Amino acid sequence: KVVTRQLFRNLERFEHQSIELNGWVRNNRAQKSFGFLMINDGSFFETIQVVYEESLDNFKEIQKIRVGSAVTVYGVVIPTPNAKQPFEIKAHKLVLKGDCPEDYPIQPKRHTREFLREVAHLRPRTNLFSAVFRVRSLVAFAIHSYFQEKNFVYVHTPIITGSDAEGAGEMFRVTTLDLDNIPRNEEGVVDFKHDFFAKSTNLTVSGQLEGEAFALALRDVYTFGPTFRAENSNTQRHASEFWMIEPEMAFADLKDDMDMAEGMIKYIINYVLENAPEEMNFFDQYVSKGVLNRVQTVANSTFKRITYTEAIDILLTANKKFENKVEWGIDLSTEHERYLTDEVFKSPVFVTDYPKDIKAFYMRVNDDQKTVAAMDLLVPGVGELIGGSQREERLDILEKRMEEIGVPTEDLNWYLDLRRYGGVTHSGFGLGFERMVMYLTGVENIRDVIPFPRTPKNAEF
Ligand code: 4AD
Ligand code: MG
């Protein structure tokens, strides 16, 4: 039994050998006394040409095999140095294992990505999606090896929580309450005392707060899991369910945090270049011209680091009219980020020290009292890839900020304990896993790097 990837990578080993190949038919071109079956076995985006001849006892049946069917081929690997593909398989036995009717949605032609989203259960059978999901798997593995090699501990933070880690109110509620008979108190407020957990709970928006608890015991930890945001933003970069990698490090400040993030991005790029060179070439050719060169350059460059105030100055003096007003204090919008990454720096850039009013309650207030020790990593094409910060370790200042912003302290008493009992400088960040995959592959829509994407009005599969 051989898979296509092995054949392409080690053709010499298999030349003139008998092999067994299992896969799905992409095309069947039947002639009078012979025919060609194009087979994809899922191990590679390339499709293998199988030649079958009249001499096979089920020749007439093979001629009728339809696109989408599952087959097993026994045959010999024949080198074809002058053809488009370096080899083909000459079948000596061909068995139809799973029939497929005419109405199979994936036909041998170019389908739009919009159409393929409507058949999300079948789209991994296309070249593009098989390549994307293979790379997605490799990126996950690369991230684990990066942190494991540095002796970080992988912490599994809860999916169901009682807290809003970002304080942004974008949570999906978790409840077993009968929606038609929700118990309410006298003021008409839903009374979660009667619910499963005897309190209000939601799906996590980030594992950071729990990560901090473990960092302040084990020092270097990371989470890698699904997170959920009920933000109703219908963009190419936002999903309602996405995966996030969140390292958290005790005795580390914002600079250490950025160094760790930069090292991680380069490690991931190098890992994928090394382990999926064929896929990277494929993306370069068919998805986003130049993506290969772009990521190679990034892996060998030093990321720029500027402060938010410097970023605003650049935008204010830009020779460009922005739709959204630029002034100190604004949250950078997509057009601003794009200008910085795509036109000014043309490479990843860390923006640090944002105004505290536009950032989360847990970020450390700087000496100027106006900004916090935050960092965002912006990259060309994708925008914000990472968001991180040094955490506020001073109990009194943290309490004051939570009060100012209106973050309820009673739910987060345990979080404040981390400052009461041996609290210390610590920092961390969150990498949007899907955005990393988009950046590497050049795929522009987050829906096309998630096996079964969840976005507003879309949870069909
Ligand atoms: O900037 P965010 O909201 O930061 C946090 O959640 C922190 N708790 C992280 C930390 O410091 N531990 O999210 C981090 C990253 C973003 O930079 C972005 O890449 C990604 O998560 N992200 C999303 N990706 C897809 N869809 C969404 N709706 C996303 N929201 C954030
Ligand atoms: Mg952010």
Side-chain angles (χ1 to χ4, degrees):
K1 273 191 195 177
V2 179
V3 295
T4 308
R5 177 175 293 268
Q6 285 171 302
L7 284 170
F8 270 88
R9 285 192 173 173
N10 300 300
L11 182 57
E12 316 80 61
R13 239 182 72 205
F14 294 102
E15 277 177 6
H16 306 293
Q17 304 286 313
S18 283
I19 59 151
E20 175 187 334
L21 189 72
N22 294 290
W24 289 269
V25 173
R26 287 285 182 84
N27 205 355
N28 187 359
R29 302 197 313 278
Q31 313 283 322
K32 224 167 152 225
S33 58
F34 63 95
F36 301 105
L37 269 191
M38 300 307 291
I39 294 183
N40 185 281
D41 76 350
S43 68
F44 208 39
F45 54 85
E46 295 279 6
T47 294
I48 292 190
Q49 171 157 293
V50 175
V51 191
Y52 58 91
E53 292 178 347
E54 212 169 10
S55 53
L56 297 177
D57 52 12
N58 58 345
F59 178 68
K60 292 235 137 55
E61 281 165 55
I62 300 173
Q63 282 184 307
K64 290 188 207 124
I65 292 179
R66 283 177 292 262
V67 173
S69 304
V71 295
T72 296
V73 180
Y74 304 88
V76 178
V77 180
I78 311 285
T80 51
N82 298 321
K84 208 176 121 218
Q85 281 203 339
F87 64 92
E88 62 185 21
I89 313 276
K90 187 170 187 297
H92 52 75
K93 189 173 163 197
L94 214 156
V95 188
L96 176 64
K97 287 287 181 71
D99 200 4
C100 183
E102 295 274 356
D103 63 359
Y104 181 55
I106 314 282
Q107 289 298 317
K109 61 164 205 170
R110 224 166 225 262
H111 292 289
T112 66
R113 299 206 196 142
E114 288 76 14
F115 167 75
L116 291 170
R117 277 176 219 143
E118 292 169 21
V119 288
H121 57 307
L122 297 172
R123 67 178 182 170
R125 296 202 202 169
T126 63
N127 294 350
L128 171 66
F129 287 94
S130 86
V132 165
F133 293 129
R134 189 169 311 285
V135 165
R136 184 178 162 113
S137 161
L138 288 174
V139 174
F141 191 80
I143 288 165
H144 280 296
S145 23
Y146 177 74
F147 288 114
Q148 294 286 337
E149 279 173 20
K150 294 189 178 307
N151 292 312
F152 278 56
V153 177
Y154 179 25
V155 180
H156 301 93
T157 51
I159 307 278
I160 300 175
T161 79
S163 47
D164 176 7
E166 290 300 298
E170 291 170 335
M171 299 103 68
F172 286 101
R173 277 289 165 78
V174 175
T175 178
T176 56
L177 290 177
D178 170 5
L179 291 179
D180 298 324
N181 291 298
I182 295 184
R184 293 173 191 274
N185 64 17
E186 298 90 71
E187 283 115 54
V189 178
V190 178
D191 193 348
F192 284 99
K193 272 211 285 299
H194 303 283
D195 201 4
F196 194 89
F197 295 108
K199 68 171 289 186
S200 139
T201 53
N202 53 272
L203 297 178
T204 188
V205 294
S206 155
Q208 178 195 320
L209 306 191
E210 294 89 352
E212 284 184 55
F214 270 67
L216 290 166
L218 307 180
R219 289 219 350 243
D220 290 341
V221 302
Y222 69 105
T223 71
F224 187 167
T227 49
F228 307 85
R229 303 235 174 140
E231 54 191 328
N232 207 350
S233 42
N234 245 311
T235 77
Q236 306 220 85
R237 318 180 291 155
H238 289 88
S240 316
E241 175 178 322
F242 63 99
W243 285 58
M244 191 151 60
I245 295 86
E246 295 184 275
E248 192 68 34
M249 298 156 285
F251 303 95
D253 63 13
L254 191 67
K255 182 182 174 298
D256 301 322
D257 205 27
M258 286 188 279
D259 292 345
M260 191 59 65
E262 184 167 342
M264 177 192 67
I265 300 291
K266 292 175 181 174
Y267 185 97
I268 297 170
I269 294 174
N270 286 324
Y271 187 88
V272 171
L273 288 174
E274 210 166 289
N275 289 280
E278 299 92 346
E279 275 83 359
M280 287 307 295
N281 270 320
F282 173 84
F283 299 133
D284 196 59
Q285 217 178 326
Y286 297 108
V287 178
S288 172
K289 290 251 171 325
V291 70
L292 188 53
N293 194 300
R294 272 203 305 280
V295 297
Q296 268 163 346
T297 311
V298 165
N300 295 306
S301 70
T302 304
F303 296 3
K304 299 273 174 354
R305 299 180 185 193
I306 60 168
T307 64
Y308 167 90
T309 304
E310 285 164 345
I312 292 293
D313 283 343
I314 293 172
L315 296 171
L316 282 173
T317 52
N319 220 340
K320 187 177 174 136
K321 194 105 192 75
F322 295 109
E323 269 172 39
N324 299 284
K325 189 160 186 242
V326 178
E327 63 185 351
W328 200 96
I330 58 155
D331 209 351
L332 298 182
S333 57
T334 308
E335 56 167 346
H336 303 141
E337 294 180 349
R338 275 242 133 114
Y339 179 77
L340 293 171
T341 53
D342 298 14
E343 292 179 50
V344 181
F345 294 103
K346 299 190 169 63
S347 85
V349 53
F350 284 109
V351 179
T352 65
D353 305 291
Y354 284 79
K356 65 176 183 189
D357 293 342
I358 57 169
K359 286 291 184 186
F361 68 92
Y362 51 71
M363 297 186 179
R364 192 179 196 279
V365 179
N366 287 327
D367 291 344
D368 64 12
Q369 305 300 323
K370 287 192 330 202
T371 60
V372 284
M375 60 96 159
D376 275 6
L377 180 67
L378 312 178
V379 299
V382 174
E384 181 188 333
L385 186 60
I386 285 176
S389 63
Q390 188 172 326
R391 318 307 188 188
E392 184 57 79
E393 83 284 10
R394 299 161 296 187
L395 180 64
D396 51 334
I397 298 177
L398 181 59
E399 280 179 324
K400 213 176 109 222
R401 273 214 86 203
M402 288 169 77
E403 205 174 297
E404 268 169 28
I405 302 177
V407 179
T409 41
E410 60 279 11
D411 285 346
L412 286 174
N413 232 320
W414 65 269
Y415 185 70
L416 295 171
D417 268 355
L418 302 173
R419 279 72 187 163
R420 290 189 185 105
Y421 308 131
V424 70
T425 306
H426 62 290
S427 303
F429 63 82
L431 165 71
F433 182 56
E434 283 75 15
R435 293 198 185 165
M436 185 68 215
V437 178
M438 291 165 74
Y439 182 56
L440 270 172
T441 58
V443 170
E444 284 172 345
N445 196 313
I446 197 163
R447 292 164 184 80
D448 297 330
V449 300
I450 303 179
F452 296 98
R454 297 284 170 269
T455 50
K457 308 246 179 330
N458 175 24
E460 204 183 322
F461 293 90

